[in-house]
Amino acid sequence: EFRRFSLERSKPGKFEEFYGLLQHVHKIPNVDVLVGYTDIHGDLLPINNDDNYHKAVSTANPLLRIFIQRKEDADYSAFGTDTMTRKKNVLSNVLRPDNHKKKPHIVISMPQDFRPVSSIIDVDILPETHRRVRLYKYGTDKPLGFYIRDGSSVRVTPHGLEKVPGIFISRLVPGGLAQSTGLLAVNDEVLEVNGIEVSGKSLDQVTDMMIANSRNLIITVRPANQRNNVVRNSRTSGSSGQSTESSLPSSTPNLLGSLLQGEEESDEEDIIIEDSGEPQQIPKAAPTSESIESLSQIELLHESTQNGFLPSSEMNSSHSAGSISMEYEGPEPGRKALEEDGTIITL
Amino acid sequence: QTVEHGFPHQPSALGYSPFLRLMAIGTRSGAIKLYGAPGVEFMGLHEENNTVMQIHFIPDQCQLVTLLDDNSLHLWSLKQHGGASELREEHRFTLKGPPGSPPSATQITAVLAHSSREVLYLGTESGNIFVVEAPSLRVLEDRSIPSEAVLQRIPEDNCNRRSCELVEALREHPKNPDLILIGYSRGLIVLWDLQNNKVTHHFLGSQQLENLYWQRDGSKFISCHYDGSYTQWPVSSDNRQPEPLENTVPYGPFPCKAISKIYWQTTKNGLPYIIFQGGMPRASYGDRHSISVIHGSQQTAFDFTSRVIDFFIIFSSEPAAEFDDPSAMVVLAEEELVVIDLKTPGWPAVHPPYLASLHCSAITCSHHVSNIPLKLWERIISAGSKQNIHYSTMPWPIDGGTNIAPDPPQRDLLLTGHEDGTVRFWDASGVCLHLLYKLSTVRVFLTDADPNDNMNTLGEDEWPPLRKVGTFDPYSDDPRLGIQKIYLCKYSGYLAVAGTAGQVLVMELNDEDAEHVVDHAEADLLQDQEGYRWKGHEKLKTRDGPVQFEAGFQPFVLVQCQPPAVVTSLALHSEWKLVAFGTSHGFGLFDHQQKRLVFVKCTLHPSDQLALEGPLSRVKSLKKSLRQSFRRIRRSRVSSRKRRGGAGNASEVQEANAKFDQDALQEMELAPVQRKIEARSAEDSFTGFVRTLYFADTFLRDSSRHCPSLWAGTNGGTVYAFCLRVPPAERRMDEPVRAEQAKEIQLMHRAPVVGILVLDGRSTPLPEPLEVAHDLSKSPDMQGSHQLLVVSEEQFKVFTLPKVSSKLKLKLTALEGCRVRKVTVANFGSCKTDDYSENDLAVLTNLGDIQIISLPFLKLQIRYPCIRKEDVSGIASCVFTKYGQGFYLISPSEFERFSLSTKWLVEPRCIVDMPEVTSNNHVHNKSGVENAARKS
């Protein structure tokens, strides 16, 4: 059924009221529905709180198209999930794996309720021909499930075209994580592993690097099939408005790499069993004053990155505010500027 | 990289200069090494990496010429530079024939460095002799001796054109430098007058010629032949075509092998020494590598353990001396250097101060101990000297050059474990790696082979009079005897040795021979597991009753692990009198004072069946060899089928084979090498493999009381910590040692743990046992909090103690794609000031890089490429010293030494001076003889 009605753009009111209005207009007072709208890019986005409701209203130009689906038979995948997945939530999921199982209702719009298995990241800083894929091994039983091989690729150099050795994906195991994401394919050339270029490294070295990073593997590939590349322009103003076009892809990887390393830490705590008791995660020692200045660069970054992220409860309570703004209102904005740029980039 | 120790791999040529008293050895990889007095060493490498075929010193010069298998000549010289002599290549040269001539025309077969020092005579396959100027290596065309010129001057009925093919030997007359003896392969020998360009004498040998040698006075020479005979020829002015004086087949009458080289040495008593290589009866002894020495009625055929490359005799080089009076014979065999004292009755061997054959039995592990206390050092030397009584007391005869390197700052021991169950103790303080003492663990066990089997069983009347010399013996009676881990406590003299069949021996140094019973215990590492079956080798059987041990390290305790898997880690605490050992199944702790097993811990994952079945290598290699043999069968079938189809046409078969190879190659390209990317899981195989064991007195339970502890790290990234209660010394025998597991850490990245270390309150690594008691180390800081460093193949992690929280980490693999192979704490002193030194981690990665990582902050300080990453055995053999040096095997028989420290540097530094030439003429004559062409 189609309905058309008007709202006052300057005073849209609260989401609750709007939801009531919809049920009233459609004469379905007791039916749970999912509400969505199409944004300027044509993505179907959910409306389920005051913020995205306001956002939706503000984008009406002048019409706002709203889609309503019955919750039971809603097609969740219809929503453009975009890149709102945050690793923070992976952790909380895994640490309390039972939490969301007990929840009677799963709200589609809360990406933190789900466990991401993969994502394409850094689309705004990478050349369009490249794709940076993150595989979240942690918590899944699925094998990573892929093989790599030596090969050669053609590069444009100042001396013309040159054939250079490269590392390629040689096989995907059916049912493995790599295959199920659909983001990696046979004959994709591997360019970086967790921010570190693989050129000049042997197959065995790259294998070791990937296995060492297997809990949080980020592979930058040049897909063999270049037809499914992300089109960048339509994105830049949307989900990550902070992206810096000027950032040079060639200079970022290292910074990025270390940041990613840092983020990963929280996923990978060793376990200790004291006096044959219960296994526990090994906590991080509070750095003492004498050692803090001597910590390595990476560790420093790591520390602060974690501080920037840390309170996951706060995250959960303030999700309605949107994760982007929350990170901007971090405790010490001045000192953390560098890292936060990095954080945004990873969004 | 500072110096190479051991015996050169694949030696191919030998040279000696009686003038410089230096010996030169060339190898198949193009290396040339010069040795003189102990510590005097030089090394050079031909760019071409071709085999060195011949080495000739230029008489009375610090120069030598090498001939490579690509027919190139290279002139090397020793020059002083910066206060020390250096070996440098100065010229290279390849003989070129006239255009269109076959390569054999210029293929050099014999070289004579003439005593005039100005020219080299080069005999070739074509029979022509070319002359080149030294040291410029320029051809002097007008002085060459073409074979036609020789032929013209010989009566035609005696020989034809083919008589002058291939120059086998060139020898300068010992008294008259204008005469040279030319021996052609087919038996013709001529004496050539260089001044008048004519043949003065010619000698018609009937047998194919191998080599020639002048008697000292020039009145006679001796030739040796392919049929195992040698012949004496007189040289006098009245007979221009003499008949042989004597023709002998020393090991006849049955067909004999060739005598490839011969010496004729005169002595004061009139009885000459005749020394020759080969000549054994072909059928019965044709496989022996022998050199025979005949002196009057004495005759011995020295029987070498490997092929003889070449040999030379050291004799009186005094120009005025009337006789040769040989003193020593130096033999370069393929696997070792043997020197025989010819002056002492019985002709005993001389113990070489260098060029030790490290690989007498294959090296299976090594262990380095720095700064040995003098007392222990002397006791080891004294134990060793009792083993060396059968050696000659003659001073080392090759004593050229002067060692000007400073004395080694400390006494260092390198211990090598071998496949045959022996441990060799090497003096690794200086440039010469010298064997001090050899320990055998075989005596403790019952093996199939009787140790007396190897003794020389030949009686007095045996013919030929063979005598085995040399120590190279690569055949192991029982691979289970192999030594895998060694730990020596330099303060107490306790030595722990562990082997392939799970045996752990604890030994004590005893200065006397003794007979005693070795206490025996078994450690069942599978205690709480059931239903496993070990498919590997059986444990070694032990000898019942008392065993006789010679002075030295004598075992008093034997622990045998069950299942008898190879011991993968070993730690000894001499103060607590405890020894810990680990295998692929678990680890155990043994109290060697009370001779009681304290505890065992199984580290196996229940699903790890592979670890239980036996040595992995065997399973793998069997599979591999099966696969390979199948391939070979398949391949030979295919090619034979094709051959039949090709109806015997060789070229067609070749083509088919080539096509087959190409197909196989293409097949390989279609299925490229690929690597699986998968996270490690707890179920992986060999996670229980114990990689490292460590004793520490630290705060394991609470921060107020420290206690002895044992730490173990496994292949699966698990660290176990046990709290130990060791009774005080006065009640040590009365109360048992107790152990209780206090902690278990699982590294989430599950990489193998290769090192565990506790840092004290000052972040200094804890000292070794007894180090403090001997006032050689500050006592550890027990006030501040201790830290635990765990090194896995992928990461370095520092944890706090006693409450384990992670403090710092350095990820190596995730960032660089390399893995830790070896790690040790090294102390780096300043070369400028004595009062500064720091402790760092020295790390060798699987790429062959060495990295220095600071303690306690884990910062990468510096990285050096060291070993080729393909050289897996080199990387596996690397051992670091406590002061920033290290060793790794560059071949089965050679250690390369390297230093990361500016303070401790052991490298050869020596000077070779030109000895004074008193009477020019005489010296010329003398050295001309010695330096004449030699064939290997």
Side-chain angles (χ1 to χ4, degrees):
Chain A
E1 293 177 46
F2 296 86
R3 296 284 187 280
R4 182 179 286 200
F5 57 91
S6 65
L7 278 174
E8 191 162 342
R9 192 194 289 266
S10 55
K11 277 191 287 178
K14 289 199 174 300
F15 171 68
E16 295 288 299
E17 297 162 17
F18 177 66
Y19 191 73
L21 179 64
L22 288 178
Q23 285 177 321
H24 174 73
V25 167
H26 286 272
K27 300 195 177 70
I28 43 167
N30 293 316
V31 180
D32 283 341
V33 292
L34 282 180
V35 186
Y37 75 103
T38 49
D39 76 345
I40 51 165
H41 306 300
D43 287 341
L44 180 63
L45 298 178
I47 302 179
N48 51 17
N49 59 37
D50 291 350
D51 290 304
N52 51 23
Y53 168 55
H54 293 160
K55 172 77 178 169
V57 171
S58 66
T59 59
N61 185 26
L63 279 180
L64 177 67
R65 299 177 75 189
I66 290 179
F67 297 85
I68 301 173
Q69 285 175 289
R70 210 188 287 270
K71 226 168 193 174
E72 299 92 85
D73 46 34
D75 177 12
Y76 294 95
S77 59
F79 289 98
T81 47
D82 214 329
T83 52
M84 292 179 70
T85 48
R86 295 293 308 133
K87 40 259 157 210
K88 203 83 298 155
N89 312 309
V90 188
L91 176 64
S92 58
N93 284 347
V94 173
L95 291 181
R96 292 182 302 280
D98 296 333
N99 274 4
H100 47 277
K101 278 185 197 153
K102 286 177 195 149
K103 274 188 188 164
H105 300 295
I106 294 170
V107 185
I108 185 62
S109 56
M110 296 296 115
Q112 53 265 57
D113 291 338
F114 291 85
R115 193 166 60 197
V117 292
S118 66
S119 53
I120 300 184
I121 55 175
D122 299 347
V123 275
D124 41 4
I125 56 162
L126 286 175
E128 281 173 22
T129 52
H130 296 183
R131 181 187 299 162
R132 187 167 287 165
V133 177
R134 184 168 192 166
L135 297 176
Y136 302 81
K137 164 71 181 153
Y138 195 65
T140 59
D141 296 328
K142 268 188 185 174
L144 284 170
F146 68 101
Y147 290 73
I148 56 172
R149 62 166 171 90
D150 278 317
S152 60
S153 71
V154 177
R155 290 275 161 77
V156 185
T157 67
H159 320 290
L161 293 179
E162 226 171 71
K163 210 172 175 188
V164 292
I167 304 285
F168 294 84
I169 293 175
S170 62
R171 188 155 93 86
L172 298 179
V173 178
L177 192 57
Q179 192 217 33
S180 64
T181 64
L183 301 178
L184 297 173
V186 171
N187 292 333
D188 285 0
E189 184 183 359
V190 178
L191 303 171
E192 290 172 10
V193 175
N194 288 52
I196 294 166
E197 281 190 37
V198 304
S199 73
K201 291 194 159 65
S202 70
L203 184 64
D204 287 328
Q205 264 177 291
V206 177
T207 307
D208 282 341
M209 284 168 70
M210 286 190 175
I211 291 174
N213 287 304
S214 59
R215 270 151 205 289
N216 175 29
L217 184 59
I218 299 167
I219 321 178
T220 310
V221 292
R222 189 207 316 272
N225 178 357
Q226 289 281 337
R227 277 174 296 182
N228 297 332
N229 292 341
V230 176
V231 182
R232 207 190 327 169
N233 305 351
S234 61
R235 294 272 168 192
T236 43
S237 57
S239 49
S240 64
Q242 287 303 315
S243 76
T244 41
E245 286 282 354
S246 59
S247 66
L248 290 169
S250 58
S251 65
T252 12
N254 282 332
L255 166 66
L256 181 72
S258 45
L259 283 166
L260 294 174
Q261 292 296 327
E263 285 168 26
E264 180 210 346
E265 307 287 317
S266 52
D267 290 349
E268 200 201 285
E269 285 313 344
D270 303 324
I271 287 171
I272 175 132
I273 304 171
E274 298 259 4
D275 292 327
S276 311
E278 281 297 299
Q280 290 176 336
Q281 283 207 338
I282 294 180
K284 266 206 89 69
T288 56
S289 55
E290 51 172 321
S291 66
I292 183 110
E293 56 227 305
S294 331
L295 290 174
S296 72
Q297 187 74 12
I298 291 170
E299 289 296 325
L300 251 174
L301 282 172
H302 156 224
E303 290 289 327
S304 37
T305 318
Q306 256 205 346
N307 291 345
F309 276 130
L310 199 65
S312 58
S313 54
E314 191 187 319
M315 179 77 167
N316 283 335
S317 64
S318 60
H319 56 70
S320 55
S323 54
I324 294 170
S325 61
M326 187 214 86
E327 283 177 28
Y328 267 87
E329 281 148 25
E332 290 157 277
R335 201 171 74 81
K336 299 257 158 31
L338 176 67
E339 293 92 281
E340 267 152 16
D341 276 350
T343 315
I344 295 304
I345 289 168
T346 65
L347 270 170
Chain B
Q1 278 150 16
T2 52
V3 64
E4 289 171 9
H5 297 301
F7 184 77
H9 187 50
Q10 296 183 315
S12 56
L14 176 70
Y16 177 67
S17 164
F19 172 70
L20 301 172
R21 302 183 74 82
L22 290 179
M23 166 175 71
I25 294 177
T27 74
R28 279 168 59 176
S29 52
I32 171 160
K33 295 180 166 198
L34 267 59
Y35 297 90
V40 177
E41 286 184 18
F42 301 95
M43 191 190 147
L45 188 65
H46 293 92
E47 241 169 56
E48 294 86 348
N49 290 114
N50 279 53
T51 300
V52 179
M53 302 297 286
Q54 295 185 29
I55 301 173
H56 301 274
F57 282 88
I58 310 261
D60 310 339
Q61 299 286 313
C62 287
Q63 284 173 335
L64 63 152
V65 172
T66 56
L67 172 68
L68 303 191
D69 68 349
D70 63 356
N71 206 34
S72 61
L73 279 177
H74 301 254
L75 187 116
W76 297 78
S77 64
L78 283 168
K79 290 221 167 123
Q80 290 195 14
H81 185 264
S85 298
E86 285 176 6
L87 180 68
R88 291 224 190 109
E89 186 181 350
E90 306 236 305
H91 297 283
R92 64 185 66 191
F93 162 77
T94 305
L95 190 61
K96 285 190 191 68
S101 59
S104 68
T106 52
Q107 184 67 45
I108 300 168
T109 52
V111 178
L112 168 64
H114 194 257
S115 63
S116 64
R117 310 172 212 163
E118 283 155 6
V119 289
L120 298 172
Y121 292 91
L122 307 175
T124 64
E125 248 175 46
S126 62
N128 296 324
I129 295 164
F130 295 86
V131 184
V132 294
E133 197 178 59
S136 64
L137 300 183
R138 221 156 34 88
V139 182
L140 302 171
E141 272 179 38
D142 52 324
R143 293 177 66 176
S144 61
I145 310 168
S147 54
E148 294 82 16
V150 175
L151 266 176
Q152 278 168 18
R153 292 163 174 83
I154 297 172
E156 227 165 275
D157 49 330
N158 290 329
C159 43
N160 52 33
R161 194 163 359 105
R162 303 193 62 191
S163 308
C164 286
E165 268 175 16
L166 209 154
V167 179
E168 200 66 65
L170 288 170
R171 299 277 162 173
E172 183 179 332
H173 192 281
K175 300 284 181 199
N176 182 356
D178 290 334
L179 293 175
I180 61 170
L181 198 60
I182 306 169
Y184 295 96
S185 171
R186 285 178 181 264
L188 175 70
I189 303 161
V190 300
L191 191 58
W192 182 263
D193 185 337
L194 294 169
Q195 287 295 329
N196 307 311
N197 270 336
K198 62 167 195 179
V199 173
T200 63
H201 296 66
H202 67 275
F203 311 85
L204 298 168
S206 55
Q207 283 297 329
Q208 197 176 320
L209 182 75
E210 287 285 323
N211 219 323
L212 297 169
Y213 194 82
W214 277 108
Q215 195 173 302
R216 192 178 180 97
D217 60 5
S219 67
K220 276 184 254 176
F221 70 87
I222 193 164
S223 66
C224 56
H225 304 276
Y226 182 75
D227 66 341
S229 65
Y230 62 82
T231 308
Q232 284 183 52
W233 305 84
V235 180
S236 59
S237 48
D238 42 311
N239 189 350
R240 296 292 169 188
Q241 191 190 326
E243 288 300 309
L245 287 174
E246 190 198 355
N247 187 10
T248 319
V249 184
Y251 294 111
F254 299 113
C256 291
K257 295 200 81 172
I259 294 179
S260 48
K261 185 171 181 177
I262 192 158
Y263 275 86
W264 176 287
Q265 300 274 286
T266 57
T267 60
K268 216 173 271 167
N269 67 14
L271 285 173
Y273 278 87
I274 296 171
I275 301 167
F276 58 88
Q277 175 187 350
M280 282 284 138
R282 201 169 270 278
S284 337
Y285 299 95
D287 56 340
R288 302 300 177 104
H289 314 288
S290 72
I291 293 179
S292 302
V293 180
I294 304 172
H295 178 59
S297 59
Q298 295 175 60
Q299 179 166 358
T300 300
F302 292 98
D303 183 9
F304 295 90
T305 55
S306 52
R307 195 168 61 89
V308 173
I309 303 297
D310 200 359
F311 72 104
F312 61 84
I313 307 295
I314 297 175
F315 53 87
S316 166
S317 57
E318 267 304 305
E322 203 176 328
F323 302 103
D324 292 317
D325 282 326
S327 55
M329 171 169 81
V330 180
V331 182
L332 178 69
E334 193 147 44
E335 305 289 357
E336 61 188 330
L337 183 82
V338 177
V339 178
I340 305 288
D341 173 2
L342 296 175
K343 290 221 140 138
T344 309
W347 300 331
V350 184
H351 192 48
Y354 43 68
L355 284 165
S357 281
L358 299 170
H359 62 321
C360 293
S361 169
I363 294 181
T364 44
C365 66
S366 31
H367 174 71
H368 186 274
V369 191
S370 302
N371 215 355
I372 304 284
L374 183 63
K375 182 85 189 132
L376 177 69
W377 187 257
E378 284 170 346
R379 291 176 72 191
I380 292 174
I381 288 179
S382 117
S385 63
K386 289 178 189 150
Q387 296 178 324
N388 291 340
I389 41 172
H390 57 282
Y391 280 114
S392 159
T393 51
M394 170 193 252
W396 184 242
I398 303 162
D399 55 1
T402 315
N403 180 7
I404 54 165
D407 280 342
Q410 56 187 30
R411 292 168 296 273
D412 287 357
L413 262 185
L414 180 67
L415 281 70
T416 52
H418 298 261
E419 203 181 18
D420 63 354
T422 57
V423 178
R424 285 174 167 80
F425 289 62
W426 304 92
D427 174 1
S429 328
V431 167
C432 294
L433 193 71
H434 182 66
L435 182 66
L436 296 177
Y437 165 72
K438 179 180 134 183
L439 161 77
S440 175
T441 63
V442 181
R443 238 169 241 280
V444 182
F445 305 103
L446 275 174
T447 54
D448 302 337
D450 190 341
N452 290 329
D453 274 359
N454 295 334
M455 298 301 271
N456 205 342
T457 49
L458 289 175
E460 292 274 307
D461 316 325
E462 289 292 327
W463 187 261
L466 287 167
R467 192 174 111 196
K468 261 210 138 27
V469 281
T471 54
F472 178 69
D473 178 16
Y475 308 105
S476 168
D477 299 332
D478 190 336
R480 294 176 297 169
L481 292 168
I483 305 294
Q484 297 293 336
K485 294 285 162 193
I486 304 171
Y487 188 97
L488 172 68
C489 171
K490 60 183 174 186
Y491 304 110
S492 63
Y494 279 118
L495 172 72
V497 164
T500 306
Q503 73 271 35
V504 180
L505 284 160
V506 187
M507 315 196 196
E508 223 172 350
L509 190 53
N510 186 346
D511 299 323
E512 304 296 329
D513 290 9
E515 188 171 8
H516 58 82
V517 178
V518 178
D519 278 287
H520 176 221
E522 201 159 280
D524 180 7
L525 296 174
L526 291 182
Q527 268 188 338
D528 15 345
Q529 315 272 331
E530 272 175 26
Y532 289 131
R533 223 180 83 224
W534 168 253
K535 295 179 190 160
H537 50 229
E538 282 174 39
K539 68 171 189 176
L540 285 159
K541 286 199 187 67
T542 52
R543 234 174 247 279
D544 296 327
V547 183
Q548 178 73 34
F549 295 104
E550 57 180 27
F553 287 92
Q554 297 172 349
F556 62 96
V557 159
L558 165 68
V559 183
Q560 286 185 292
C561 298
Q562 196 55 252
V566 51
V567 176
T568 55
S569 55
L570 181 71
L572 178 79
H573 201 292
S574 41
E575 200 170 344
W576 304 336
K577 309 267 196 287
L578 296 172
V579 61
F581 45 88
T583 71
S584 48
H585 302 99
F587 59 97
L589 181 69
F590 190 86
D591 173 357
H592 65 76
Q593 176 97 356
Q594 291 186 25
K595 307 197 167 84
R596 198 180 69 87
L597 190 66
V598 180
F599 76 92
V600 292
K601 166 87 183 170
C602 180
T603 52
L604 275 188
H605 193 274
S607 69
D608 190 359
Q609 275 297 327
L610 255 182
L612 287 152
E613 288 180 352
L616 174 72
S617 56
R618 185 169 298 179
V619 178
K620 249 188 179 167
S621 64
L622 182 67
K623 263 190 202 162
K624 200 175 163 192
S625 63
L626 274 177
R627 213 182 303 135
Q628 275 169 349
S629 52
F630 275 125
R631 265 190 209 143
R632 221 171 294 132
I633 291 167
R634 204 178 58 188
R635 190 176 181 146
S636 63
R637 268 188 202 147
V638 171
S639 52
S640 63
R641 209 180 302 138
K642 283 188 176 160
R643 200 166 297 145
R644 250 176 272 133
N649 187 326
S651 70
E652 234 171 275
V653 171
Q654 249 173 13
E655 212 171 281
N657 277 344
K659 192 177 179 304
F660 178 77
D661 285 348
Q662 211 168 21
D663 289 350
L665 217 88
Q666 251 165 14
E667 200 177 307
M668 261 167 60
E669 272 164 16
L670 283 177
V673 183
Q674 50 177 8
R675 294 279 184 274
K676 187 176 184 180
I677 308 297
E678 208 45 77
R680 263 185 292 266
S681 82
E683 282 84 44
D684 283 352
S685 271
F686 294 100
T687 51
F689 195 112
V690 179
R691 291 290 292 267
T692 181
L693 288 163
Y694 177 66
F695 285 108
D697 185 2
T698 187
F699 301 92
L700 190 54
R701 283 257 166 79
D702 57 63
S703 49
S704 54
R705 275 179 308 131
H706 57 92
C707 67
S709 63
L710 171 67
W711 299 77
T714 72
N715 229 22
T718 312
V719 175
Y720 301 94
F722 279 75
C723 192
L724 308 178
R725 215 183 58 83
V726 182
E730 59 276 16
R731 295 197 302 277
R732 183 65 180 78
M733 283 307 283
D734 309 331
E735 293 174 23
V737 176
R738 289 184 204 283
E740 205 182 330
Q741 182 164 343
K743 289 186 193 325
E744 181 179 330
I745 300 170
Q746 176 60 55
L747 301 176
M748 284 318 277
H749 63 286
R750 294 191 186 277
V753 177
V754 291
I756 298 174
L757 186 68
V758 171
L759 307 174
D760 73 2
R762 287 183 296 258
S763 294
T764 308
L766 292 185
E768 281 174 46
L770 293 174
E771 204 171 19
V772 176
H774 285 73
D775 288 331
L776 286 157
S777 167
K778 274 196 284 187
S779 38
D781 180 295
M782 297 309 243
Q783 306 305 316
S785 55
H786 284 196
Q787 297 171 69
L788 170 71
L789 169 69
V790 177
V791 183
S792 78
E793 283 191 1
E794 296 185 354
Q795 301 187 7
F796 299 78
K797 289 195 150 183
V798 175
F799 299 96
T800 57
L801 283 178
K803 171 139 179 47
V804 175
S805 48
S806 64
K807 199 169 174 187
L808 266 181
K809 78 164 97 171
L810 174 67
K811 290 182 161 191
L812 195 67
T813 313
L815 294 172
E816 296 179 28
C818 56
R819 307 170 67 85
V820 177
R821 281 283 174 264
K822 303 270 170 173
V823 61
T824 199
V825 176
N827 183 277
F828 291 99
S830 162
C831 59
K832 301 246 163 59
T833 144
D834 273 343
D835 51 9
Y836 178 77
S837 78
E838 62 180 52
N839 289 307
D840 296 281
L841 290 174
V843 176
L844 175 75
T845 71
N846 64 333
L847 303 180
D849 289 348
I850 286 179
Q851 310 201 352
I852 304 296
I853 290 167
S854 74
L855 280 178
F857 299 123
L858 302 181
K859 277 182 159 178
L860 175 64
Q861 303 293 306
I862 199 158
R863 177 195 348 240
Y864 304 98
C866 180
I867 312 176
R868 282 181 312 114
K869 71 175 177 215
E870 296 81 15
D871 184 4
V872 180
S873 59
I875 292 173
S877 67
C878 180
V879 54
F880 287 107
T881 78
K882 244 187 117 179
Y883 297 96
Q885 294 190 52
F887 302 85
Y888 64 91
L889 288 172
I890 48 174
S891 73
S893 56
E894 284 166 292
F895 272 117
E896 174 78 54
R897 188 187 193 112
F898 61 87
S899 179
L900 303 161
S901 163
T902 50
K903 192 171 181 182
W904 307 110
L905 203 64
V906 174
E907 58 184 349
R909 194 172 159 78
C910 38
I911 283 186
V912 174
D913 283 317
M914 289 269 281
E916 293 224 349
V917 181
T918 42
S919 151
N920 251 343
N921 198 25
H922 274 275
V923 172
H924 284 184
N925 292 342
K926 190 68 233 91
S927 343
V929 173
E930 180 49 39
N931 281 281
R934 232 172 251 123
K935 250 195 99 233
S936 53

